[in-house]
Amino acid sequence: MDNTRPTPLLEDIEGTRRKLEQWFQQRRGYPVTVSSLKIPESSGMSNVTLLFTLHWDENGSAREEACVGRLQPEIARPVFPSYDLAPQYRVMERLQAHSDIPVPPLRGLETDTDLLGVQFYIMEHIPGRIPTDMPPYNMDGWLLQETSEPQRAALWRAAVDTMARFHQLDYQALGFADLTVPGQTPLQQQLRYWQDYLDWGLEGQGHPLGQAALDWLSANQPAAEPVALCWGDARIGNMIFADSLDRVAAVLDWEMATLGNPLQDLAWFNYIDSTFAEGLGMPRLPGLPSYEETVAQWQQATGYDVADYDYYVLFAAMRYGLIMSRIMLATGQDAEVQGNFACQLLRKHMERLS
């Protein structure tokens, strides 16, 4: 099996296209055709993205719709130990029905693996612009080359505003009270998850730096925290922006959604940007508001206390360091498992605590 691609499914583009047509026709009850099926070059290791156009006839008029498919990854050494599409689909479904947080309109979830060999869901394609991760948007790409500093500031503030509105939602009213575990706080649940992730992801090798961070986080847990539904992967690279760049057209990638202190999303949002700058020895993209301004904007919009912000920056650094170490191990880059740039940045954050 090819370890550089999350699933070998698209070895047979034509066969996949026909199977998708069959799936849509069974769900809709009328003939449907699929064209222009492709997998974008930017698809990462955590999932597979399909792009295609759907065609059908409605009352004598030809109709078409651009669609995006997300597929469960299938590789021998995945980035995460499990990857169930149903929970992230559920988040988008609830947000679409019960909030003003923009998510792509959903077209269906398939958990039966008989058709394509993996789970998948389909959503409408939302036009707009997504800041690039590869290359990082502060090093190359449209956000660096085609925008002014005021436009970048407007984009960043729109992203923070959208994240803040999300954090004001009532997770119980949305139907996510079942994510709680009796006798444990959400933070305790997450720390347990990341300890298990370290043990699984490093395949018995251990991770001294990641373990030291986990030990510190476990020993210094904040008390009496607020609980909200957290996005889990809050960053501008997971948002589609309108062409005006001052509005978020859609929020993407909910596979890491969880309950917890929403401050963790804010810290992750800033931290991921810092990995492109301090982490890679590059300047931040000019025009972006400072991290302090970002914290102040979010705090004013949500009313949440930000006293534990530094705790959650280290929490973000631990998570990202372990994920990058897993990717290095899974792709055969053994020399970078403990020494990759994310671990170097994690070390800096640990030293700042001493």
Side-chain angles (χ1 to χ4, degrees), residues 80-134:
F80 294 99
S82 62
Y83 195 88
D84 186 358
L85 295 182
Q88 55 185 285
Y89 191 87
R90 177 191 177 200
V91 171
M92 290 189 292
E93 200 169 40
R94 298 291 175 85
L95 291 177
Q96 190 170 18
H98 304 294
S99 82
D100 65 351
I101 303 303
V103 294
L106 301 170
R107 298 295 179 251
L109 166 71
E110 185 56 72
T111 58
D112 187 337
T113 60
D114 286 347
L115 185 66
L116 296 184
V118 293
Q119 295 181 359
F120 65 91
Y121 66 83
I122 307 295
M123 53 191 172
E124 182 182 331
H125 177 267
I126 302 297
R129 310 202 75 175
I130 303 175
T132 58
D133 291 334
M134 298 177 61

Side-chain angles (χ1 to χ4, degrees), residues 52-343:
F52 60 92
T53 303
L54 198 63
H55 305 266
W56 72 96
D57 183 86
E58 189 171 302
N59 299 323
S61 299
R63 300 286 302 276
E64 67 176 42
E65 180 178 87
C67 292
V68 179
R70 283 292 173 89
L71 280 63
Q72 186 180 46
E74 186 185 56
I75 54 176
R77 300 169 89 184
V79 178
F80 294 99
S82 62
Y83 195 88
D84 186 358
L85 295 182
Q88 55 185 285
Y89 191 87
R90 177 191 177 200
V91 171
M92 290 189 292
E93 200 169 40
R94 298 291 175 85
L95 291 177
Q96 190 170 18
H98 304 294
S99 82
D100 65 351
I101 303 303
V103 294
L106 301 170
R107 298 295 179 251
L109 166 71
E110 185 56 72
T111 58
D112 187 337
T113 60
D114 286 347
L115 185 66
L116 296 184
V118 293
Q119 295 181 359
F120 65 91
Y121 66 83
I122 307 295
M123 53 191 172
E124 182 182 331
H125 177 267
I126 302 297
R129 310 202 75 175
I130 303 175
T132 58
D133 291 334
M134 298 177 61
Y137 51 73
N138 61 319
M139 296 173 64
D140 201 359
W142 67 268
L143 193 56
L144 173 66
Q145 297 177 352
E146 302 173 21
T147 61
S148 65
E149 291 190 18
Q151 285 177 312
R152 296 168 194 160
L155 176 148
W156 186 268
R157 293 193 182 101
V160 176
D161 176 70
T162 300
M163 180 171 57
R165 287 192 288 113
F166 168 70
H167 290 146
Q168 292 173 292
L169 299 175
D170 184 334
Y171 76 91
Q172 293 177 316
L174 286 173
F176 291 103
D178 62 325
L179 296 182
T180 60
V181 174
Q184 294 185 41
T185 67
L187 178 56
Q188 287 169 340
Q189 294 176 50
Q190 291 191 63
L191 290 173
R192 179 71 263 172
Y193 172 87
W194 288 104
Q195 182 64 65
D196 291 344
Y197 183 90
L198 185 157
D199 298 339
W200 168 86
L202 275 295
E203 298 180 2
Q205 293 186 17
H207 198 294
L209 180 61
Q211 188 62 62
L214 272 166
D215 291 344
W216 189 94
L217 290 164
S218 296
N220 293 275
Q221 296 176 55
E225 293 192 287
V227 178
L229 183 63
C230 299
W231 179 0
D233 197 6
R235 54 192 176 92
I236 60 173
N238 275 342
M239 294 180 172
I240 302 174
F241 293 89
D243 289 339
S244 61
L245 302 183
D246 60 357
R247 179 177 62 84
V248 175
V251 181
L252 308 172
D253 290 352
W254 297 93
E255 61 263 33
M256 296 172 73
T258 186
L259 294 185
N261 186 337
L263 195 56
Q264 68 183 267
D265 275 346
L266 175 65
W268 181 263
F269 183 88
N270 282 339
Y271 180 77
I272 291 300
D273 179 79
S274 78
T275 65
F276 291 162
E278 182 182 2
L280 296 177
M282 299 291 294
R284 287 191 74 212
L285 187 65
L288 297 184
S290 70
Y291 299 141
E292 293 78 12
E293 290 171 322
T294 303
V295 171
Q297 179 188 344
W298 182 86
Q299 182 182 28
Q300 183 176 14
T302 63
Y304 282 116
D305 189 345
V306 297
D308 294 314
Y309 174 76
D310 289 341
Y311 176 94
Y312 279 105
V313 170
L314 181 62
F315 185 64
M318 175 275 296
R319 292 167 58 201
Y320 194 65
L322 292 182
I323 290 170
M324 286 301 301
S325 291
R326 172 60 185 176
I327 291 173
M328 294 299 103
L329 183 63
T331 54
Q333 301 179 66
D334 292 355
E336 295 298 316
V337 171
Q338 309 282 341
N340 62 77
F341 76 96
C343 287

